mmCIF file with all atom_site columns, all heavy atoms in Angstrom:
data_model
loop_
_atom_site.group_PDB
_atom_site.id
_atom_site.type_symbol
_atom_site.label_atom_id
_atom_site.label_alt_id
_atom_site.label_comp_id
_atom_site.label_asym_id
_atom_site.label_entity_id
_atom_site.label_seq_id
_atom_site.pdbx_PDB_ins_code
_atom_site.Cartn_x
_atom_site.Cartn_y
_atom_site.Cartn_z
_atom_site.occupancy
_atom_site.B_iso_or_equiv
_atom_site.pdbx_formal_charge
_atom_site.auth_seq_id
_atom_site.auth_comp_id
_atom_site.auth_asym_id
_atom_site.auth_atom_id
_atom_site.pdbx_PDB_model_num
ATOM 1   N N   . GLU A 1 1  ? -17.901 -41.154 25.877 1.00 97.00 ? 1  GLU A N   1
ATOM 2   C CA  . GLU A 1 1  ? -17.594 -42.450 25.296 1.00 97.00 ? 1  GLU A CA  1
ATOM 3   C C   . GLU A 1 1  ? -16.086 -42.675 25.314 1.00 97.00 ? 1  GLU A C   1
ATOM 4   O O   . GLU A 1 1  ? -15.292 -41.741 25.197 1.00 97.00 ? 1  GLU A O   1
ATOM 5   C CB  . GLU A 1 1  ? -18.092 -42.517 23.846 1.00 97.00 ? 1  GLU A CB  1
ATOM 6   C CG  . GLU A 1 1  ? -19.582 -42.467 23.695 1.00 97.00 ? 1  GLU A CG  1
ATOM 7   C CD  . GLU A 1 1  ? -19.985 -42.609 22.236 1.00 97.00 ? 1  GLU A CD  1
ATOM 8   O OE1 . GLU A 1 1  ? -20.055 -41.578 21.547 1.00 97.00 ? 1  GLU A OE1 1
ATOM 9   O OE2 . GLU A 1 1  ? -20.209 -43.745 21.790 1.00 97.00 ? 1  GLU A OE2 1
ATOM 10  N N   . ALA A 1 2  ? -15.704 -43.945 25.438 1.00 98.00 ? 2  ALA A N   1
ATOM 11  C CA  . ALA A 1 2  ? -14.285 -44.269 25.530 1.00 98.00 ? 2  ALA A CA  1
ATOM 12  C C   . ALA A 1 2  ? -13.607 -44.103 24.173 1.00 98.00 ? 2  ALA A C   1
ATOM 13  O O   . ALA A 1 2  ? -14.156 -44.474 23.128 1.00 98.00 ? 2  ALA A O   1
ATOM 14  C CB  . ALA A 1 2  ? -14.107 -45.698 26.024 1.00 98.00 ? 2  ALA A CB  1
ATOM 15  N N   . LEU A 1 3  ? -12.406 -43.542 24.202 1.00 98.00 ? 3  LEU A N   1
ATOM 16  C CA  . LEU A 1 3  ? -11.595 -43.348 23.008 1.00 98.00 ? 3  LEU A CA  1
ATOM 17  C C   . LEU A 1 3  ? -10.197 -43.874 23.304 1.00 98.00 ? 3  LEU A C   1
ATOM 18  O O   . LEU A 1 3  ? -9.498  -43.353 24.175 1.00 98.00 ? 3  LEU A O   1
ATOM 19  C CB  . LEU A 1 3  ? -11.523 -41.867 22.627 1.00 98.00 ? 3  LEU A CB  1
ATOM 20  C CG  . LEU A 1 3  ? -10.592 -41.507 21.473 1.00 98.00 ? 3  LEU A CG  1
ATOM 21  C CD1 . LEU A 1 3  ? -11.127 -42.049 20.158 1.00 98.00 ? 3  LEU A CD1 1
ATOM 22  C CD2 . LEU A 1 3  ? -10.401 -39.996 21.380 1.00 98.00 ? 3  LEU A CD2 1
ATOM 23  N N   . LEU A 1 4  ? -9.787  -44.897 22.575 1.00 98.00 ? 4  LEU A N   1
ATOM 24  C CA  . LEU A 1 4  ? -8.461  -45.485 22.728 1.00 98.00 ? 4  LEU A CA  1
ATOM 25  C C   . LEU A 1 4  ? -7.529  -44.859 21.701 1.00 98.00 ? 4  LEU A C   1
ATOM 26  O O   . LEU A 1 4  ? -7.822  -44.872 20.498 1.00 98.00 ? 4  LEU A O   1
ATOM 27  C CB  . LEU A 1 4  ? -8.532  -46.997 22.530 1.00 98.00 ? 4  LEU A CB  1
ATOM 28  C CG  . LEU A 1 4  ? -7.203  -47.758 22.579 1.00 98.00 ? 4  LEU A CG  1
ATOM 29  C CD1 . LEU A 1 4  ? -6.564  -47.654 23.968 1.00 98.00 ? 4  LEU A CD1 1
ATOM 30  C CD2 . LEU A 1 4  ? -7.422  -49.229 22.204 1.00 98.00 ? 4  LEU A CD2 1
ATOM 31  N N   . CYS A 1 5  ? -6.391  -44.330 22.153 1.00 98.00 ? 5  CYS A N   1
ATOM 32  C CA  . CYS A 1 5  ? -5.445  -43.613 21.298 1.00 98.00 ? 5  CYS A CA  1
ATOM 33  C C   . CYS A 1 5  ? -4.163  -44.434 21.190 1.00 98.00 ? 5  CYS A C   1
ATOM 34  O O   . CYS A 1 5  ? -3.464  -44.617 22.198 1.00 98.00 ? 5  CYS A O   1
ATOM 35  C CB  . CYS A 1 5  ? -5.139  -42.244 21.885 1.00 98.00 ? 5  CYS A CB  1
ATOM 36  S SG  . CYS A 1 5  ? -6.610  -41.252 22.289 1.00 98.00 ? 5  CYS A SG  1
ATOM 37  N N   . ILE A 1 6  ? -3.846  -44.911 19.994 1.00 98.00 ? 6  ILE A N   1
ATOM 38  C CA  . ILE A 1 6  ? -2.717  -45.828 19.793 1.00 98.00 ? 6  ILE A CA  1
ATOM 39  C C   . ILE A 1 6  ? -1.646  -45.133 18.958 1.00 98.00 ? 6  ILE A C   1
ATOM 40  O O   . ILE A 1 6  ? -1.864  -44.844 17.776 1.00 98.00 ? 6  ILE A O   1
ATOM 41  C CB  . ILE A 1 6  ? -3.168  -47.125 19.099 1.00 98.00 ? 6  ILE A CB  1
ATOM 42  C CG1 . ILE A 1 6  ? -4.371  -47.750 19.816 1.00 98.00 ? 6  ILE A CG1 1
ATOM 43  C CG2 . ILE A 1 6  ? -2.018  -48.128 19.048 1.00 98.00 ? 6  ILE A CG2 1
ATOM 44  C CD1 . ILE A 1 6  ? -4.939  -48.978 19.109 1.00 98.00 ? 6  ILE A CD1 1
ATOM 45  N N   . HIS A 1 7  ? -0.502  -44.889 19.556 1.00 98.00 ? 7  HIS A N   1
ATOM 46  C CA  . HIS A 1 7  ? 0.587   -44.214 18.841 1.00 98.00 ? 7  HIS A CA  1
ATOM 47  C C   . HIS A 1 7  ? 1.324   -45.198 17.928 1.00 98.00 ? 7  HIS A C   1
ATOM 48  O O   . HIS A 1 7  ? 1.052   -46.406 17.920 1.00 98.00 ? 7  HIS A O   1
ATOM 49  C CB  . HIS A 1 7  ? 1.550   -43.565 19.832 1.00 98.00 ? 7  HIS A CB  1
ATOM 50  C CG  . HIS A 1 7  ? 2.309   -44.550 20.677 1.00 98.00 ? 7  HIS A CG  1
ATOM 51  N ND1 . HIS A 1 7  ? 3.389   -45.265 20.218 1.00 98.00 ? 7  HIS A ND1 1
ATOM 52  C CD2 . HIS A 1 7  ? 2.140   -44.938 21.975 1.00 98.00 ? 7  HIS A CD2 1
ATOM 53  C CE1 . HIS A 1 7  ? 3.866   -46.042 21.168 1.00 98.00 ? 7  HIS A CE1 1
ATOM 54  N NE2 . HIS A 1 7  ? 3.114   -45.875 22.248 1.00 98.00 ? 7  HIS A NE2 1
ATOM 55  N N   . GLY A 1 8  ? 2.276   -44.663 17.171 1.00 98.00 ? 8  GLY A N   1
ATOM 56  C CA  . GLY A 1 8  ? 3.036   -45.482 16.243 1.00 98.00 ? 8  GLY A CA  1
ATOM 57  C C   . GLY A 1 8  ? 4.461   -45.719 16.698 1.00 98.00 ? 8  GLY A C   1
ATOM 58  O O   . GLY A 1 8  ? 4.841   -45.444 17.841 1.00 98.00 ? 8  GLY A O   1
ATOM 59  N N   . LEU A 1 9  ? 5.279   -46.215 15.795 1.00 98.00 ? 9  LEU A N   1
ATOM 60  C CA  . LEU A 1 9  ? 6.680   -46.509 16.060 1.00 98.00 ? 9  LEU A CA  1
ATOM 61  C C   . LEU A 1 9  ? 7.409   -45.234 16.474 1.00 98.00 ? 9  LEU A C   1
ATOM 62  O O   . LEU A 1 9  ? 7.339   -44.213 15.785 1.00 98.00 ? 9  LEU A O   1
ATOM 63  C CB  . LEU A 1 9  ? 7.318   -47.092 14.797 1.00 98.00 ? 9  LEU A CB  1
ATOM 64  C CG  . LEU A 1 9  ? 8.805   -47.405 14.848 1.00 98.00 ? 9  LEU A CG  1
ATOM 65  C CD1 . LEU A 1 9  ? 9.102   -48.503 15.862 1.00 98.00 ? 9  LEU A CD1 1
ATOM 66  C CD2 . LEU A 1 9  ? 9.302   -47.820 13.465 1.00 98.00 ? 9  LEU A CD2 1
ATOM 67  N N   . GLY A 1 10 ? 8.104   -45.287 17.606 1.00 98.00 ? 10 GLY A N   1
ATOM 68  C CA  . GLY A 1 10 ? 8.824   -44.120 18.085 1.00 98.00 ? 10 GLY A CA  1
ATOM 69  C C   . GLY A 1 10 ? 7.952   -43.076 18.742 1.00 98.00 ? 10 GLY A C   1
ATOM 70  O O   . GLY A 1 10 ? 8.423   -41.974 19.035 1.00 98.00 ? 10 GLY A O   1
ATOM 71  N N   . GLY A 1 11 ? 6.696   -43.405 18.989 1.00 98.00 ? 11 GLY A N   1
ATOM 72  C CA  . GLY A 1 11 ? 5.760   -42.451 19.558 1.00 98.00 ? 11 GLY A CA  1
ATOM 73  C C   . GLY A 1 11 ? 5.454   -42.724 21.021 1.00 98.00 ? 11 GLY A C   1
ATOM 74  O O   . GLY A 1 11 ? 6.100   -43.537 21.691 1.00 98.00 ? 11 GLY A O   1
ATOM 75  N N   . SER A 1 12 ? 4.445   -42.036 21.514 1.00 98.00 ? 12 SER A N   1
ATOM 76  C CA  . SER A 1 12 ? 4.007   -42.173 22.901 1.00 98.00 ? 12 SER A CA  1
ATOM 77  C C   . SER A 1 12 ? 2.607   -41.587 23.017 1.00 98.00 ? 12 SER A C   1
ATOM 78  O O   . SER A 1 12 ? 2.021   -41.133 22.028 1.00 98.00 ? 12 SER A O   1
ATOM 79  C CB  . SER A 1 12 ? 4.958   -41.424 23.841 1.00 98.00 ? 12 SER A CB  1
ATOM 80  O OG  . SER A 1 12 ? 4.792   -40.026 23.707 1.00 98.00 ? 12 SER A OG  1
ATOM 81  N N   . SER A 1 13 ? 2.119   -41.540 24.231 1.00 97.00 ? 13 SER A N   1
ATOM 82  C CA  . SER A 1 13 ? 0.816   -40.915 24.467 1.00 97.00 ? 13 SER A CA  1
ATOM 83  C C   . SER A 1 13 ? 0.805   -39.459 24.026 1.00 97.00 ? 13 SER A C   1
ATOM 84  O O   . SER A 1 13 ? -0.246  -38.892 23.738 1.00 97.00 ? 13 SER A O   1
ATOM 85  C CB  . SER A 1 13 ? 0.445   -41.012 25.950 1.00 97.00 ? 13 SER A CB  1
ATOM 86  O OG  . SER A 1 13 ? 1.397   -40.326 26.746 1.00 97.00 ? 13 SER A OG  1
ATOM 87  N N   . ASN A 1 14 ? 1.978   -38.838 23.949 1.00 96.00 ? 14 ASN A N   1
ATOM 88  C CA  . ASN A 1 14 ? 2.053   -37.426 23.559 1.00 96.00 ? 14 ASN A CA  1
ATOM 89  C C   . ASN A 1 14 ? 1.729   -37.186 22.089 1.00 96.00 ? 14 ASN A C   1
ATOM 90  O O   . ASN A 1 14 ? 1.557   -36.028 21.688 1.00 96.00 ? 14 ASN A O   1
ATOM 91  C CB  . ASN A 1 14 ? 3.445   -36.855 23.871 1.00 96.00 ? 14 ASN A CB  1
ATOM 92  C CG  . ASN A 1 14 ? 3.542   -36.322 25.290 1.00 96.00 ? 14 ASN A CG  1
ATOM 93  O OD1 . ASN A 1 14 ? 2.552   -35.877 25.852 1.00 96.00 ? 14 ASN A OD1 1
ATOM 94  N ND2 . ASN A 1 14 ? 4.712   -36.405 25.867 1.00 96.00 ? 14 ASN A ND2 1
ATOM 95  N N   . ASN A 1 15 ? 1.661   -38.240 21.277 1.00 97.00 ? 15 ASN A N   1
ATOM 96  C CA  . ASN A 1 15 ? 1.232   -38.050 19.890 1.00 97.00 ? 15 ASN A CA  1
ATOM 97  C C   . ASN A 1 15 ? -0.132  -37.373 19.817 1.00 97.00 ? 15 ASN A C   1
ATOM 98  O O   . ASN A 1 15 ? -0.456  -36.719 18.816 1.00 97.00 ? 15 ASN A O   1
ATOM 99  C CB  . ASN A 1 15 ? 1.152   -39.392 19.157 1.00 97.00 ? 15 ASN A CB  1
ATOM 100 C CG  . ASN A 1 15 ? 2.493   -39.847 18.643 1.00 97.00 ? 15 ASN A CG  1
ATOM 101 O OD1 . ASN A 1 15 ? 3.317   -40.331 19.420 1.00 97.00 ? 15 ASN A OD1 1
ATOM 102 N ND2 . ASN A 1 15 ? 2.730   -39.693 17.349 1.00 97.00 ? 15 ASN A ND2 1
ATOM 103 N N   . TRP A 1 16 ? -0.935  -37.540 20.862 1.00 97.00 ? 16 TRP A N   1
ATOM 104 C CA  . TRP A 1 16 ? -2.326  -37.082 20.819 1.00 97.00 ? 16 TRP A CA  1
ATOM 105 C C   . TRP A 1 16 ? -2.539  -35.774 21.551 1.00 97.00 ? 16 TRP A C   1
ATOM 106 O O   . TRP A 1 16 ? -3.619  -35.196 21.460 1.00 97.00 ? 16 TRP A O   1
ATOM 107 C CB  . TRP A 1 16 ? -3.228  -38.187 21.397 1.00 97.00 ? 16 TRP A CB  1
ATOM 108 C CG  . TRP A 1 16 ? -2.891  -39.486 20.748 1.00 97.00 ? 16 TRP A CG  1
ATOM 109 C CD1 . TRP A 1 16 ? -2.280  -40.574 21.304 1.00 97.00 ? 16 TRP A CD1 1
ATOM 110 C CD2 . TRP A 1 16 ? -3.071  -39.808 19.366 1.00 97.00 ? 16 TRP A CD2 1
ATOM 111 N NE1 . TRP A 1 16 ? -2.070  -41.538 20.360 1.00 97.00 ? 16 TRP A NE1 1
ATOM 112 C CE2 . TRP A 1 16 ? -2.543  -41.098 19.157 1.00 97.00 ? 16 TRP A CE2 1
ATOM 113 C CE3 . TRP A 1 16 ? -3.636  -39.112 18.282 1.00 97.00 ? 16 TRP A CE3 1
ATOM 114 C CZ2 . TRP A 1 16 ? -2.565  -41.716 17.912 1.00 97.00 ? 16 TRP A CZ2 1
ATOM 115 C CZ3 . TRP A 1 16 ? -3.649  -39.717 17.027 1.00 97.00 ? 16 TRP A CZ3 1
ATOM 116 C CH2 . TRP A 1 16 ? -3.122  -41.011 16.867 1.00 97.00 ? 16 TRP A CH2 1
ATOM 117 N N   . THR A 1 17 ? -1.520  -35.288 22.258 1.00 96.00 ? 17 THR A N   1
ATOM 118 C CA  . THR A 1 17 ? -1.675  -34.045 23.005 1.00 96.00 ? 17 THR A CA  1
ATOM 119 C C   . THR A 1 17 ? -2.132  -32.878 22.121 1.00 96.00 ? 17 THR A C   1
ATOM 120 O O   . THR A 1 17 ? -3.011  -32.108 22.528 1.00 96.00 ? 17 THR A O   1
ATOM 121 C CB  . THR A 1 17 ? -0.360  -33.695 23.727 1.00 96.00 ? 17 THR A CB  1
ATOM 122 O OG1 . THR A 1 17 ? 0.001   -34.791 24.591 1.00 96.00 ? 17 THR A OG1 1
ATOM 123 C CG2 . THR A 1 17 ? -0.504  -32.434 24.554 1.00 96.00 ? 17 THR A CG2 1
ATOM 124 N N   . PRO A 1 18 ? -1.588  -32.724 20.893 1.00 96.00 ? 18 PRO A N   1
ATOM 125 C CA  . PRO A 1 18 ? -2.039  -31.592 20.074 1.00 96.00 ? 18 PRO A CA  1
ATOM 126 C C   . PRO A 1 18 ? -3.505  -31.669 19.662 1.00 96.00 ? 18 PRO A C   1
ATOM 127 O O   . PRO A 1 18 ? -4.076  -30.652 19.250 1.00 96.00 ? 18 PRO A O   1
ATOM 128 C CB  . PRO A 1 18 ? -1.127  -31.668 18.835 1.00 96.00 ? 18 PRO A CB  1
ATOM 129 C CG  . PRO A 1 18 ? 0.068   -32.433 19.275 1.00 96.00 ? 18 PRO A CG  1
ATOM 130 C CD  . PRO A 1 18 ? -0.459  -33.437 20.249 1.00 96.00 ? 18 PRO A CD  1
ATOM 131 N N   . LEU A 1 19 ? -4.110  -32.853 19.746 1.00 96.00 ? 19 LEU A N   1
ATOM 132 C CA  . LEU A 1 19 ? -5.484  -33.015 19.263 1.00 96.00 ? 19 LEU A CA  1
ATOM 133 C C   . LEU A 1 19 ? -6.510  -33.014 20.384 1.00 96.00 ? 19 LEU A C   1
ATOM 134 O O   . LEU A 1 19 ? -7.707  -33.193 20.125 1.00 96.00 ? 19 LEU A O   1
ATOM 135 C CB  . LEU A 1 19 ? -5.614  -34.325 18.470 1.00 96.00 ? 19 LEU A CB  1
ATOM 136 C CG  . LEU A 1 19 ? -4.655  -34.516 17.300 1.00 96.00 ? 19 LEU A CG  1
ATOM 137 C CD1 . LEU A 1 19 ? -5.062  -35.737 16.491 1.00 96.00 ? 19 LEU A CD1 1
ATOM 138 C CD2 . LEU A 1 19 ? -4.603  -33.289 16.399 1.00 96.00 ? 19 LEU A CD2 1
ATOM 139 N N   . LEU A 1 20 ? -6.080  -32.802 21.609 1.00 94.00 ? 20 LEU A N   1
ATOM 140 C CA  . LEU A 1 20 ? -7.013  -32.885 22.734 1.00 94.00 ? 20 LEU A CA  1
ATOM 141 C C   . LEU A 1 20 ? -8.219  -31.957 22.591 1.00 94.00 ? 20 LEU A C   1
ATOM 142 O O   . LEU A 1 20 ? -9.323  -32.321 23.018 1.00 94.00 ? 20 LEU A O   1
ATOM 143 C CB  . LEU A 1 20 ? -6.281  -32.623 24.050 1.00 94.00 ? 20 LEU A CB  1
ATOM 144 C CG  . LEU A 1 20 ? -5.286  -33.704 24.477 1.00 94.00 ? 20 LEU A CG  1
ATOM 145 C CD1 . LEU A 1 20 ? -4.648  -33.352 25.811 1.00 94.00 ? 20 LEU A CD1 1
ATOM 146 C CD2 . LEU A 1 20 ? -5.949  -35.080 24.552 1.00 94.00 ? 20 LEU A CD2 1
ATOM 147 N N   . PRO A 1 21 ? -8.076  -30.767 21.975 1.00 90.00 ? 21 PRO A N   1
ATOM 148 C CA  . PRO A 1 21 ? -9.279  -29.925 21.807 1.00 90.00 ? 21 PRO A CA  1
ATOM 149 C C   . PRO A 1 21 ? -10.387 -30.599 21.003 1.00 90.00 ? 21 PRO A C   1
ATOM 150 O O   . PRO A 1 21 ? -11.568 -30.303 21.214 1.00 90.00 ? 21 PRO A O   1
ATOM 151 C CB  . PRO A 1 21 ? -8.740  -28.691 21.081 1.00 90.00 ? 21 PRO A CB  1
ATOM 152 C CG  . PRO A 1 21 ? -7.311  -28.606 21.493 1.00 90.00 ? 21 PRO A CG  1
ATOM 153 C CD  . PRO A 1 21 ? -6.854  -30.037 21.575 1.00 90.00 ? 21 PRO A CD  1
ATOM 154 N N   . ALA A 1 22 ? -10.023 -31.485 20.095 1.00 92.00 ? 22 ALA A N   1
ATOM 155 C CA  . ALA A 1 22 ? -11.032 -32.173 19.283 1.00 92.00 ? 22 ALA A CA  1
ATOM 156 C C   . ALA A 1 22 ? -11.607 -33.389 19.987 1.00 92.00 ? 22 ALA A C   1
ATOM 157 O O   . ALA A 1 22 ? -12.577 -33.977 19.505 1.00 92.00 ? 22 ALA A O   1
ATOM 158 C CB  . ALA A 1 22 ? -10.429 -32.599 17.947 1.00 92.00 ? 22 ALA A CB  1
ATOM 159 N N   . LEU A 1 23 ? -11.015 -33.758 21.119 1.00 94.00 ? 23 LEU A N   1
ATOM 160 C CA  . LEU A 1 23 ? -11.392 -35.006 21.786 1.00 94.00 ? 23 LEU A CA  1
ATOM 161 C C   . LEU A 1 23 ? -12.047 -34.742 23.139 1.00 94.00 ? 23 LEU A C   1
ATOM 162 O O   . LEU A 1 23 ? -12.099 -35.611 23.988 1.00 94.00 ? 23 LEU A O   1
ATOM 163 C CB  . LEU A 1 23 ? -10.139 -35.884 21.974 1.00 94.00 ? 23 LEU A CB  1
ATOM 164 C CG  . LEU A 1 23 ? -9.305  -36.129 20.708 1.00 94.00 ? 23 LEU A CG  1
ATOM 165 C CD1 . LEU A 1 23 ? -8.056  -36.940 21.033 1.00 94.00 ? 23 LEU A CD1 1
ATOM 166 C CD2 . LEU A 1 23 ? -10.137 -36.831 19.641 1.00 94.00 ? 23 LEU A CD2 1
ATOM 167 N N   . GLY A 1 24 ? -12.582 -33.532 23.292 1.00 91.00 ? 24 GLY A N   1
ATOM 168 C CA  . GLY A 1 24 ? -13.107 -33.127 24.585 1.00 91.00 ? 24 GLY A CA  1
ATOM 169 C C   . GLY A 1 24 ? -14.327 -33.898 25.044 1.00 91.00 ? 24 GLY A C   1
ATOM 170 O O   . GLY A 1 24 ? -14.604 -33.949 26.236 1.00 91.00 ? 24 GLY A O   1
ATOM 171 N N   . GLY A 1 25 ? -15.067 -34.494 24.119 1.00 92.00 ? 25 GLY A N   1
ATOM 172 C CA  . GLY A 1 25 ? -16.283 -35.201 24.504 1.00 92.00 ? 25 GLY A CA  1
ATOM 173 C C   . GLY A 1 25 ? -16.077 -36.677 24.794 1.00 92.00 ? 25 GLY A C   1
ATOM 174 O O   . GLY A 1 25 ? -17.055 -37.425 24.903 1.00 92.00 ? 25 GLY A O   1
ATOM 175 N N   . PHE A 1 26 ? -14.815 -37.079 24.942 1.00 97.00 ? 26 PHE A N   1
ATOM 176 C CA  . PHE A 1 26 ? -14.503 -38.497 25.135 1.00 97.00 ? 26 PHE A CA  1
ATOM 177 C C   . PHE A 1 26 ? -13.759 -38.737 26.451 1.00 97.00 ? 26 PHE A C   1
ATOM 178 O O   . PHE A 1 26 ? -13.093 -37.843 26.983 1.00 97.00 ? 26 PHE A O   1
ATOM 179 C CB  . PHE A 1 26 ? -13.610 -39.009 23.999 1.00 97.00 ? 26 PHE A CB  1
ATOM 180 C CG  . PHE A 1 26 ? -14.283 -39.048 22.661 1.00 97.00 ? 26 PHE A CG  1
ATOM 181 C CD1 . PHE A 1 26 ? -14.111 -38.013 21.759 1.00 97.00 ? 26 PHE A CD1 1
ATOM 182 C CD2 . PHE A 1 26 ? -15.079 -40.121 22.291 1.00 97.00 ? 26 PHE A CD2 1
ATOM 183 C CE1 . PHE A 1 26 ? -14.710 -38.042 20.513 1.00 97.00 ? 26 PHE A CE1 1
ATOM 184 C CE2 . PHE A 1 26 ? -15.680 -40.162 21.052 1.00 97.00 ? 26 PHE A CE2 1
ATOM 185 C CZ  . PHE A 1 26 ? -15.500 -39.122 20.159 1.00 97.00 ? 26 PHE A CZ  1
ATOM 186 N N   . ARG A 1 27 ? -13.854 -39.961 26.917 1.00 97.00 ? 27 ARG A N   1
ATOM 187 C CA  . ARG A 1 27 ? -12.942 -40.453 27.952 1.00 97.00 ? 27 ARG A CA  1
ATOM 188 C C   . ARG A 1 27 ? -11.705 -40.965 27.223 1.00 97.00 ? 27 ARG A C   1
ATOM 189 O O   . ARG A 1 27 ? -11.749 -42.000 26.564 1.00 97.00 ? 27 ARG A O   1
ATOM 190 C CB  . ARG A 1 27 ? -13.597 -41.573 28.761 1.00 97.00 ? 27 ARG A CB  1
ATOM 191 C CG  . ARG A 1 27 ? -12.714 -42.119 29.875 1.00 97.00 ? 27 ARG A CG  1
ATOM 192 C CD  . ARG A 1 27 ? -13.324 -43.359 30.486 1.00 97.00 ? 27 ARG A CD  1
ATOM 193 N NE  . ARG A 1 27 ? -12.514 -43.878 31.579 1.00 97.00 ? 27 ARG A NE  1
ATOM 194 C CZ  . ARG A 1 27 ? -12.636 -45.108 32.083 1.00 97.00 ? 27 ARG A CZ  1
ATOM 195 N NH1 . ARG A 1 27 ? -13.566 -45.943 31.580 1.00 97.00 ? 27 ARG A NH1 1
ATOM 196 N NH2 . ARG A 1 27 ? -11.866 -45.512 33.064 1.00 97.00 ? 27 ARG A NH2 1
ATOM 197 N N   . ARG A 1 28 ? -10.622 -40.250 27.312 1.00 98.00 ? 28 ARG A N   1
ATOM 198 C CA  . ARG A 1 28 ? -9.446  -40.498 26.479 1.00 98.00 ? 28 ARG A CA  1
ATOM 199 C C   . ARG A 1 28 ? -8.479  -41.436 27.194 1.00 98.00 ? 28 ARG A C   1
ATOM 200 O O   . ARG A 1 28 ? -8.031  -41.161 28.311 1.00 98.00 ? 28 ARG A O   1
ATOM 201 C CB  . ARG A 1 28 ? -8.764  -39.176 26.148 1.00 98.00 ? 28 ARG A CB  1
ATOM 202 C CG  . ARG A 1 28 ? -9.704  -38.197 25.431 1.00 98.00 ? 28 ARG A CG  1
ATOM 203 C CD  . ARG A 1 28 ? -9.042  -36.868 25.199 1.00 98.00 ? 28 ARG A CD  1
ATOM 204 N NE  . ARG A 1 28 ? -8.760  -36.152 26.430 1.00 98.00 ? 28 ARG A NE  1
ATOM 205 C CZ  . ARG A 1 28 ? -9.375  -35.029 26.805 1.00 98.00 ? 28 ARG A CZ  1
ATOM 206 N NH1 . ARG A 1 28 ? -10.318 -34.505 26.050 1.00 98.00 ? 28 ARG A NH1 1
ATOM 207 N NH2 . ARG A 1 28 ? -9.042  -34.423 27.925 1.00 98.00 ? 28 ARG A NH2 1
ATOM 208 N N   . ILE A 1 29 ? -8.136  -42.516 26.524 1.00 98.00 ? 29 ILE A N   1
ATOM 209 C CA  . ILE A 1 29 ? -7.247  -43.539 27.073 1.00 98.00 ? 29 ILE A CA  1
ATOM 210 C C   . ILE A 1 29 ? -6.013  -43.588 26.179 1.00 98.00 ? 29 ILE A C   1
ATOM 211 O O   . ILE A 1 29 ? -6.090  -43.996 25.021 1.00 98.00 ? 29 ILE A O   1
ATOM 212 C CB  . ILE A 1 29 ? -7.955  -44.910 27.104 1.00 98.00 ? 29 ILE A CB  1
ATOM 213 C CG1 . ILE A 1 29 ? -9.231  -44.805 27.937 1.00 98.00 ? 29 ILE A CG1 1
ATOM 214 C CG2 . ILE A 1 29 ? -7.036  -46.000 27.634 1.00 98.00 ? 29 ILE A CG2 1
ATOM 215 C CD1 . ILE A 1 29 ? -10.281 -45.811 27.571 1.00 98.00 ? 29 ILE A CD1 1
ATOM 216 N N   . ARG A 1 30 ? -4.882  -43.128 26.718 1.00 98.00 ? 30 ARG A N   1
ATOM 217 C CA  . ARG A 1 30 ? -3.692  -42.945 25.900 1.00 98.00 ? 30 ARG A CA  1
ATOM 218 C C   . ARG A 1 30 ? -2.529  -43.762 26.471 1.00 98.00 ? 30 ARG A C   1
ATOM 219 O O   . ARG A 1 30 ? -1.757  -43.278 27.291 1.00 98.00 ? 30 ARG A O   1
ATOM 220 C CB  . ARG A 1 30 ? -3.311  -41.464 25.837 1.00 98.00 ? 30 ARG A CB  1
ATOM 221 C CG  . ARG A 1 30 ? -4.386  -40.588 25.183 1.00 98.00 ? 30 ARG A CG  1
ATOM 222 C CD  . ARG A 1 30 ? -3.904  -39.156 25.017 1.00 98.00 ? 30 ARG A CD  1
ATOM 223 N NE  . ARG A 1 30 ? -3.823  -38.464 26.291 1.00 98.00 ? 30 ARG A NE  1
ATOM 224 C CZ  . ARG A 1 30 ? -3.071  -37.381 26.521 1.00 98.00 ? 30 ARG A CZ  1
ATOM 225 N NH1 . ARG A 1 30 ? -2.314  -36.887 25.561 1.00 98.00 ? 30 ARG A NH1 1
ATOM 226 N NH2 . ARG A 1 30 ? -3.081  -36.795 27.702 1.00 98.00 ? 30 ARG A NH2 1
ATOM 227 N N   . PRO A 1 31 ? -2.402  -45.004 26.031 1.00 98.00 ? 31 PRO A N   1
ATOM 228 C CA  . PRO A 1 31 ? -1.296  -45.822 26.537 1.00 98.00 ? 31 PRO A CA  1
ATOM 229 C C   . PRO A 1 31 ? 0.000   -45.573 25.772 1.00 98.00 ? 31 PRO A C   1
ATOM 230 O O   . PRO A 1 31 ? -0.003  -45.164 24.609 1.00 98.00 ? 31 PRO A O   1
ATOM 231 C CB  . PRO A 1 31 ? -1.791  -47.250 26.281 1.00 98.00 ? 31 PRO A CB  1
ATOM 232 C CG  . PRO A 1 31 ? -2.637  -47.118 25.040 1.00 98.00 ? 31 PRO A CG  1
ATOM 233 C CD  . PRO A 1 31 ? -3.309  -45.769 25.161 1.00 98.00 ? 31 PRO A CD  1
#
């Protein structure tokens, strides 16, 4: 299933890199 990852002020797609183990069952979309 699609998962959209939205970072905050001063962030980037890398905000979500530490959590990738928990997101293995998704199609991860990190703009």
Side-chain angles (χ1 to χ4, degrees):
E1 294 183 272
L3 174 69
L4 177 64
C5 308
I6 309 175
H7 67 78
L9 177 64
S12 72
S13 61
N14 273 331
N15 277 77
W16 310 110
T17 302
L19 305 189
L20 291 181
L23 308 177
F26 293 97
R27 181 189 182 196
R28 302 176 294 249
I29 302 154
R30 298 186 289 158

